[in-house]
Amino acid sequence: VSEGSMFVSRALEKILAEKEAKRPPHGQLRRACQVALGESGRADPPGWEEGTVAPPKANFIEADKYFLPFELACQSKSPRIVSTSLDCLQKLIAYGHITGNAPDSGAPGKRLIDRIVDTICNCFQGPQTDEGVQLQIIKALLTAVTSPYIEIHEGTVLQTVRTCYNIYLASKNLINQTTAKATLTQMLNVIFTRMENQSFQLYFSFSPLVAEEKQVTEMAKALPAVETADTILSGSSSENIQTNGIPDDGQSVSSTDNLVNNFTGSDISGHQAAAKFSHVLQKDAFLVFRSLCKLSMKPLGDGPPDPKSHELRSKIVSLQLLLSVLQNAGPVFRTHEMFINAIKQYLCVALSKNGVSSVPDVFELSIAIFLTLLSNFKTHLKMQIEVFFKEIFLNILETSSSSFEHKWMVIQTLTRICADAQCVVDIYVNYDCDLNAANIFERLVNDLSKIAQGRSGHELGMTPLQELSLRKKGLECLVSILKCMVEWSKDLYVNPNHQTSLGTYKPSEQEIAEGKCLDSGGRRSSVSSLDSTVSSGVGSVGTQTAVPDDPEQFEVIKQQKEIIEHGIELFNKKPKRGIQYLQEQGMLGSTAEDIAQFLHQEERLCSTQAGEFLGEGSKFNKEVMYAYVDQLDFCGKDFVSALRIFLEGFRLPGEAQKIDRLMEKFAARYIECNQRQTLFASADTAYVLAYSIIMLTTDLHSPQVKNKMTKEQYIKMNRGINDSKDLPVEYLSTIYEEIEGKKIAMKETKEYAITTKCSKPSVANEKQRRLLYNLEMEQMAKTAKALMEAVSHAKAPFTSATHLDHVRPMFKLVWTPLLAAYSVGLQNCDDTEVASLCLEGIRCAIRIACIFGMQLERDAYVQALARFSLLTASSSITEMKQKNIDTIKTLITVAHTDVFMQLHCSLKICRTLFF
């Protein structure tokens, strides 16, 4: 008798010996145990031994017979019997005595192992489940996932993870909670490692890439589990598993937070239809990852969250697990299109909400996940990273009411980002040198400069110690940025042969041929050759989005961007001046169609000014307005939806005549696009109705209006507008209800842009500040979420910077706010750490200016040093302090190490020191 039979016999005998098993309700269990004991005495259970391949059908039934007593034992609800059964199943799986490859006679298309795992999971019946049984379930499921002898996939894998997840949330035993959480981490590690190893082994099995691609293709064809994204995300049968465990009481995770959700096909559209999995292990990992992303998106309840609540604990553990997965991500995960799209459409949208959470743990985890994404996935997430910086990080720094804790965590994160030279240069190249992106680098330095100078510290309600800590961190970030620039351009400093009169370096043809070009070496942030090869199978996006690094081209784009930004600034004050300036600079066409397109596409235009411009009565303004409306497509849209589209791009002017012109053109365009409609007798009907909807929106949603219009009054108001006839009452009622539920407004992003530009309300006390901050954070999250969803399917080219020449325009862009921060720090603060940081920053700035021959910038920083050395007549400070002595030392160091080659500057320093 084998070891497997011995496990079975002992477990069955132990079950039969239990008092509970002898009671009448368990008669079927007793009989099943006795039959199995009689059979197990003869031979090993057929179909249970490792290596059993396609046994005859009779053996499948017998295999079911041997599993039946354990299935019934698990359903007995007797903790001792259940524990014995689970312990035996765990041992049989662990030692390879169960393979479970035999088909499940009770469920066509399923295997016996799926039924076994399902039985184990069903032993968990919510918080009331015996604590010992909970541990046995965790142990058995971990064995099922990690065992090399069995294979479970798709829905069964999800079920194991979900059950452990539910045990973690529902168990009242701290040891069980800790064990379940550790088990979840281990399960995920195994699932994702197996996926990576499978691709790794495939790579080494076939050295020629052609053979590898052929193998991947053949495997994809052979596996029935391979599906397209649309199939998976439309709720495939493998995912439709009934939730077990915690009852649906509104506080549980069973129905809301379970890991198997039925998603509609609209969750991911046809953008991914072509992406496929080359192996079922990739699909397993994808399903688990996507489910965790969905869990992290679950909203918390209103009011202060309870740390022990299911909702908060679920969110925190899902974020922790996601962070673990991302930090350990291999080449397949980092490059496969399905995983990249899941990050864009689920994880990034979740981060847009969690990134402004008032719960410190959630906020901190979100930041950690963002840092990991920035480190490992930035080439795929250009637009998402922009949203996170622009709408969350920088807004928190700029918002006067934001808490010290949030500012501190953000600036701690920025300290890490600013210490990475590749990341700093990439931010400048990909955002500040992109016509359609925000100036992240410039805005970041300006915000840090304000913090380093201690501006607006008191209105935050910070203590002096907190303000000093924040100032130091701001200075540390600014110094790190300059250190990155020095590091990036160090080759020009080290090797004098690379110096030219302009500070630029162009390698000779011979150097390029010999591979000595410094610009192309050591600075590329890309996947290794193995990573890119392993992930080059089906569905990999690899480095498709990478674009070449051309410093001259980026500098041209940056100049064009500055012209456009100045034109927009002028437009937002006086539209005609802005348009004229852009036309003079050759950045905008002269036709009405060109200007109309500009108004549609440029999000940074002031919506109020755009509305005033479109409503003007001059001939040219009317032409632009007509072109603007004609560029909108209302075909097939219902009337209210079309009106929303029309009014989301600008704010309606206040003058009735201007509104009249806009509504008249809108009505004509709507009828033109929907000529087959029979509801409106003419464009006049649409015009009057559009006007009435605007009035209704104002009436129902304006706080100034006390007595709101009723539905009956609205219907009465619109009588006889359809060529002296009435529009259907049901139609007008529907319009009223829709406007009542949601007002007609501009895009959320534009609404927020306007509210943030309004004058800052005065904050009388800490309570008011917190209330205001919560409102601002809520709006911030709403805007970030809308933007993140808008770019969830977008692909934007990302450049991994390699050239040294980027440092010159970077420094030219930010040298003034940097100098202001260092000067104010030296002048107003006697703290030795602040002085040390300021002097280090000035020294780095002088080195960059010298490397690139930037005389104006170099002289400004040298003069600042000279002024604070107290050795010049212009110095307003009279008492010599330690910081002034340190300044003199820095001046001497700079003269010795940086400006010895700059004769003019050296003479200045000599005069300062000796005269």
Side-chain angles (χ1 to χ4, degrees):
V1 178
S2 72
E3 188 182 17
S5 294
M6 183 177 67
F7 282 139
V8 172
S9 300
R10 284 180 181 175
L12 294 174
E13 287 166 0
K14 192 173 179 181
I15 290 169
L16 286 171
E18 291 290 343
K19 288 182 180 178
E20 282 286 326
K22 296 174 182 176
R23 293 184 178 177
H26 300 302
Q28 189 182 0
L29 170 62
R30 285 198 307 276
R31 285 192 296 274
C33 288
Q34 288 161 358
V35 170
L37 268 174
E39 293 288 339
S40 65
R42 289 191 296 102
D44 290 332
W48 287 51
E49 281 297 329
E50 183 187 5
T52 303
V53 180
K57 190 171 182 181
N59 282 354
F60 297 164
I61 298 165
E62 286 191 272
D64 284 353
K65 183 164 55 180
Y66 284 101
F67 173 60
L68 181 62
F70 295 103
E71 187 176 33
L72 293 170
C74 288
Q75 294 169 0
S76 67
K77 296 185 181 178
S78 167
R80 289 171 65 90
I81 294 174
V82 173
S83 291
T84 302
S85 176
L86 289 172
D87 181 61
C88 182
L89 287 172
Q90 186 268 330
K91 285 185 170 68
L92 289 168
I93 294 170
Y95 293 105
H97 299 300
I98 294 180
T99 59
N101 284 329
D104 180 7
S105 59
K110 293 273 187 178
R111 295 174 304 141
L112 184 61
I113 192 62
D114 297 321
R115 182 172 154 199
I116 292 169
V117 172
D118 187 53
T119 301
I120 295 169
C121 292
N122 288 341
C123 291
F124 179 65
Q125 295 292 318
Q128 69 274 15
T129 306
D130 179 78
E131 291 175 356
V133 170
Q134 290 178 14
L135 275 178
Q136 286 290 355
I137 294 169
I138 294 168
K139 187 178 176 184
L141 292 179
L142 179 61
T143 304
V145 171
T146 58
S147 171
Y149 304 112
I150 68 165
E151 282 192 26
I152 56 172
H153 297 294
E154 302 178 44
T156 306
V157 169
L158 278 175
Q159 196 175 14
T160 60
V161 177
R162 183 197 66 202
T163 303
C164 286
Y165 192 95
N166 282 344
I167 291 173
Y168 166 75
L169 291 178
S171 179
K172 296 172 184 176
N173 185 305
L174 188 59
I175 294 173
N176 287 8
Q177 288 179 21
T178 308
T179 308
K181 188 176 176 182
T183 300
L184 278 170
T185 306
Q186 196 171 343
M187 280 180 173
L188 293 184
N189 186 45
V190 169
I191 291 166
F192 285 88
T193 302
R194 277 181 180 166
M195 174 189 72
E196 298 292 345
N197 288 344
Q198 181 272 329
S199 292
F200 193 73
Q201 288 162 6
L202 186 64
Y203 168 69
F204 280 107
S205 298
F206 301 91
S207 49
L209 290 179
V210 177
E212 180 190 347
E213 289 176 7
K214 183 180 178 184
Q215 174 70 7
V216 170
T217 309
E218 288 174 358
M219 191 178 298
K221 289 177 181 176
L223 285 168
V226 176
E227 300 180 34
T228 64
D230 284 350
T231 311
I232 293 157
L233 292 161
S234 61
S236 61
S237 59
S238 63
E239 285 190 79
N240 297 332
I241 300 171
Q242 291 299 315
T243 301
N244 299 290
I246 307 168
D248 182 11
D249 57 3
Q251 300 295 317
S252 70
V253 297
S254 189
S255 60
T256 57
D257 284 0
N258 68 72
L259 281 167
V260 185
N261 296 296
N262 294 323
F263 304 132
T264 61
S266 60
D267 280 336
I268 292 183
S269 66
H271 290 272
Q272 291 179 340
K276 292 182 180 179
F277 297 116
S278 61
H279 197 279
V280 70
L281 290 173
Q282 292 180 0
K283 184 179 176 185
D284 293 342
F286 170 80
L287 292 174
V288 171
F289 178 75
R290 187 192 65 182
S291 299
L292 286 172
C293 290
K294 297 289 281 186
L295 279 174
S296 70
M297 295 170 73
K298 301 295 289 184
L300 298 173
D302 296 331
D306 177 9
K308 295 181 180 179
S309 68
H310 281 328
E311 291 85 0
L312 182 55
R313 289 177 61 233
S314 171
K315 185 179 282 290
I316 288 174
V317 76
S318 62
L319 288 171
Q320 287 171 337
L321 293 171
L322 284 167
L323 179 60
S324 173
V325 168
L326 292 167
Q327 285 175 337
N328 298 305
V332 174
F333 188 92
R334 290 202 303 268
T335 57
H336 197 291
E337 189 176 358
M338 291 300 292
F339 291 108
I340 299 299
N341 286 330
I343 289 172
K344 286 180 181 178
Q345 294 161 18
Y346 298 113
L347 184 58
C348 288
V349 173
L351 286 182
S352 65
K353 178 70 175 175
N354 296 323
V356 293
S357 173
S358 58
V359 182
D361 287 345
V362 174
F363 184 75
E364 201 167 352
L365 280 166
S366 301
I367 285 179
I369 289 172
F370 172 74
L371 277 174
T372 310
L373 291 176
L374 189 62
S375 175
N376 295 338
F377 299 90
K378 63 183 174 184
T379 55
H380 306 294
L381 303 175
K382 179 178 175 178
M383 298 178 84
Q384 287 75 14
I385 289 168
E386 180 190 1
V387 171
F388 211 90
F389 264 111
K390 187 175 69 169
E391 302 300 333
I392 298 176
F393 275 1
L394 299 180
N395 266 345
I396 288 173
L397 291 183
E398 293 165 2
T399 303
S400 60
S401 57
S402 59
S403 65
F404 168 76
E405 291 76 16
H406 273 86
K407 276 193 190 307
W408 181 255
M409 279 191 273
V410 167
I411 212 162
Q412 287 271 53
T413 307
L414 292 174
T415 307
R416 292 175 60 183
I417 293 170
C418 294
D420 182 347
Q422 180 73 53
C423 193
V424 170
V425 181
D426 280 350
I427 287 172
Y428 169 76
V429 168
N430 287 283
Y431 300 105
D432 293 62
C433 296
D434 184 336
L435 290 175
N436 300 312
N439 294 319
I440 302 294
F441 177 70
E442 183 180 6
R443 190 172 155 191
L444 174 63
V445 173
N446 284 327
D447 289 348
L448 289 172
S449 177
K450 288 175 186 174
I451 289 170
Q453 292 174 58
R455 286 156 64 178
S456 74
H458 296 298
E459 63 185 86
L460 295 170
M462 287 193 289
T463 65
L465 186 62
Q466 286 176 333
E467 186 183 349
L468 181 61
S469 300
L470 212 56
R471 284 187 69 179
K472 286 180 182 177
K473 272 293 173 189
L475 279 170
E476 192 180 322
C477 285
L478 292 176
V479 172
S480 290
I481 288 170
L482 279 176
K483 279 183 175 179
C484 287
M485 292 191 200
V486 171
E487 165 70 20
W488 195 259
S489 55
K490 67 179 180 181
D491 296 326
L492 291 177
Y493 173 77
V494 171
N495 192 337
N497 295 325
H498 294 169
Q499 296 276 0
T500 67
S501 59
L502 295 175
T504 58
Y505 165 64
K506 293 184 180 179
S508 66
E509 291 182 11
Q510 184 181 354
E511 284 179 311
I512 293 171
E514 293 173 0
K516 293 180 180 178
C517 176
L518 289 165
D519 286 6
S520 61
R523 305 206 189 284
R524 186 172 297 280
S525 174
S526 61
V527 293
S528 68
S529 58
L530 175 61
D531 281 6
S532 57
T533 307
V534 166
S535 59
S536 63
V538 180
S540 168
V541 289
T543 54
Q544 293 169 9
T545 54
V547 292
D549 183 14
D550 183 352
E552 291 181 4
Q553 181 63 28
F554 282 120
E555 202 155 352
V556 169
I557 293 170
K558 181 62 182 168
Q559 290 168 1
Q560 291 176 346
K561 189 175 184 180
E562 287 171 354
I563 292 169
I564 292 169
E565 285 169 346
H566 183 59
I568 290 168
E569 192 180 340
L570 291 172
F571 181 95
N572 291 341
K573 293 174 183 174
K574 197 168 183 181
K576 286 184 180 178
R577 278 185 61 196
I579 288 170
Q580 183 183 351
Y581 171 79
L582 289 171
Q583 287 173 339
E584 287 171 356
Q585 297 294 324
M587 302 304 294
L588 182 62
S590 58
T591 66
E593 288 75 17
D594 292 332
I595 297 169
Q597 194 171 9
F598 172 69
L599 295 176
H600 274 300
Q601 293 176 347
E602 186 48 71
E603 292 279 336
R604 292 167 291 181
L605 297 176
C606 172
S607 302
T608 304
Q609 292 287 10
E612 291 291 338
F613 179 78
L614 289 170
E616 284 290 339
S618 71
K619 183 184 175 184
F620 184 69
N621 285 67
K622 283 181 182 178
E623 287 176 0
V624 173
M625 187 263 284
Y626 293 158
Y628 180 91
V629 181
D630 286 340
Q631 287 172 9
L632 293 168
D633 182 12
F634 300 136
C635 294
K637 300 279 192 303
D638 66 81
F639 193 72
V640 176
S641 297
L643 191 57
R644 288 189 194 279
I645 293 168
F646 175 55
L647 295 176
E648 71 179 5
F650 63 91
R651 189 180 288 280
L652 271 176
E655 195 179 322
Q657 266 188 324
K658 293 181 178 180
I659 298 174
D660 193 65
R661 275 191 287 272
L662 287 162
M663 289 298 107
E664 190 175 357
K665 176 58 184 171
F666 162 75
R669 176 64 179 165
Y670 182 79
I671 296 299
E672 183 186 346
C673 289
N674 296 277
Q675 293 181 7
R676 294 184 180 180
Q677 64 84 33
T678 55
L679 187 62
F680 302 141
S682 65
D684 288 342
T685 306
Y687 159 69
V688 176
L689 183 61
Y691 218 113
S692 78
I693 291 173
I694 298 298
M695 292 172 62
L696 179 65
T697 300
T698 306
D699 188 283
L700 293 181
H701 296 281
S702 173
Q704 280 81 26
V705 178
K706 302 293 182 186
N707 300 317
K708 305 294 184 186
M709 188 185 298
T710 64
K711 188 187 291 185
E712 290 72 23
Q713 287 172 329
Y714 180 69
I715 293 169
K716 186 177 179 181
M717 184 177 76
N718 284 288
R719 278 182 183 161
I721 66 170
N722 196 19
D723 199 13
S724 301
K725 296 178 183 176
D726 293 344
L727 288 169
V729 174
E730 298 80 14
Y731 181 70
L732 293 173
S733 296
T734 304
I735 290 175
Y736 182 92
E737 289 163 6
E738 188 176 340
I739 300 300
E740 188 180 34
K742 184 183 177 183
K743 68 176 181 178
I744 290 179
M746 290 178 296
K747 288 179 185 174
E748 290 177 344
T749 53
K750 292 207 170 196
E751 283 282 359
Y752 181 61
I754 287 171
T755 56
T756 52
K757 288 175 185 174
C758 296
S759 57
K760 295 178 183 176
S762 57
V763 181
N765 53 46
E766 180 65 14
K767 187 177 179 181
Q768 281 187 9
R769 186 197 67 76
R770 286 184 179 276
L771 181 63
L772 178 63
Y773 178 57
N774 288 336
L775 290 172
E776 286 179 345
M777 290 297 255
E778 188 179 331
Q779 183 59 57
M780 204 184 293
K782 193 176 178 184
T783 307
K785 185 172 182 286
L787 286 169
M788 205 69 88
E789 286 173 344
V791 299
S792 62
H793 294 99
K795 289 183 181 180
F798 189 94
T799 303
S800 287
T802 56
H803 284 271
L804 310 179
D805 297 338
H806 293 302
V807 174
R808 174 202 290 276
M810 285 175 72
F811 184 65
K812 202 166 188 66
L813 185 67
V814 297
W815 73 272
T816 44
L818 288 169
L819 180 59
Y822 300 143
S823 299
V824 169
L826 279 172
Q827 187 169 347
N828 297 344
C829 188
D830 292 332
D831 186 273
T832 54
E833 193 177 345
V834 169
S836 175
L837 284 167
C838 290
L839 291 172
E840 189 175 7
I842 290 173
R843 196 171 70 218
C844 290
I846 291 171
R847 174 162 293 187
I848 293 165
C850 288
I851 286 173
F852 291 98
M854 304 169 76
Q855 186 177 334
L856 173 67
E857 292 82 357
R858 179 202 64 205
D859 289 352
Y861 278 94
V862 170
Q863 285 168 8
L865 273 180
R867 188 168 67 254
F868 290 112
S869 68
L870 298 186
L871 298 176
T872 61
S874 61
S875 297
S876 57
I877 311 168
T878 53
E879 182 188 352
M880 181 72 78
K881 297 179 180 177
Q882 182 61 45
K883 65 181 180 182
N884 306 117
I885 297 169
D886 291 337
T887 303
I888 296 171
K889 290 178 182 177
T890 304
L891 202 57
I892 295 170
T893 305
V894 163
H896 177 65
T897 61
D898 292 293
V899 296
F900 62 88
M901 76 295 288
Q902 310 277 339
L903 183 61
H904 173 70
C905 196
S906 295
L907 290 172
K908 277 191 174 182
I909 292 174
C910 290
R911 279 199 297 271
T912 301
L913 291 173
F914 301 115
F915 300 103

